[in-house]
């Protein structure tokens, strides 16, 4: 079905905007800027998909658990090397007294044992607090 442009077939046959009741919508034929495709083909333009707000730039990779583990392993190795250097430089014998017991061992080893004892004490206190908080959270 073809339409002749500018002929009687293109004129609106319904009511005009002068005799519409107040608040009524105008028919599509009377709206300003109403463009209808003719014989030419109309291709819709699609907007580019929006990136989510949390999307990171393409150049940066997110850290993973494995990368965090490797960082911890490397840091642990550095601490171990520093500790070994300390021990090797402080091999002078030291006399240690503990609850009436007496012994002689290298100074660095005695200091290492005292540091390990302090770390165990802190871990026990921290573990007890974590258990206390978990128990309190289960009650709620």
């Amino acid at each position: 079905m073809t339409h002749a442009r500018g002929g009687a077939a293109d004129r609106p046959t319904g009511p005009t905007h002068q005799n519409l009741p107040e608040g009524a919508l105008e028919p599509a034929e009377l709206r300003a800027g109403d463009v209808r495709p003719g014989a030419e083909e109309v291709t819709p333009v699609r907007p580019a998909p929006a990136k989510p707000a949390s999307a990171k730039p393409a150049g940066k990779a997110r850290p993973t658990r494995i990368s965090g583990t490797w960082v911890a392993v490397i840091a642990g190795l550095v601490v171990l090397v520093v500790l070994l250097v300390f021990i090797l430089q402080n091999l002078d014998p030291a006399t240690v007294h503990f609850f009436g017991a007496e012994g002689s061992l290298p100074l660095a080893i005695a200091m290492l044992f005292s540091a390990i004892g302090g770390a165990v004490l802190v871990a026990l206190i921290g573990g007890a607090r974590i258990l206390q908080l978990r128990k309190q959270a289960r009650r709620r």
Side-chain angles (χ1 to χ4, degrees), residues 13-15 38 43 48 52 68 73 91 102 108 116 130:
T13 57
T43 312
V73 166
L91 290 176
E102 186 177 320
I116 291 172
I130 289 172

Side-chain angles (χ1 to χ4, degrees), residues 16-99:
T16 62
H17 67 282
Q18 287 93 7
N19 55 6
L20 284 176
E22 191 174 326
L25 296 176
E26 293 179 345
E29 296 89 4
L30 298 178
R31 276 190 243 141
D34 188 23
V35 179
R36 294 172 186 242
E40 66 277 354
E41 189 173 317
V42 177
T43 312
V45 178
R46 295 183 185 189
K51 290 183 180 179
S54 64
K56 302 236 181 207
K60 293 185 178 181
R62 289 180 47 203
T64 61
R65 288 184 187 177
I66 296 297
S67 66
T69 303
W70 277 111
V71 169
V73 166
I74 291 171
L77 286 174
V78 169
V79 169
L80 182 64
V81 167
V82 169
L83 209 75
L84 285 173
V85 168
F86 176 77
I87 289 172
L88 292 173
Q89 289 179 349
N90 292 290
L91 290 176
D92 301 330
T95 304
V96 179
H97 303 275
F98 188 67
F99 289 128

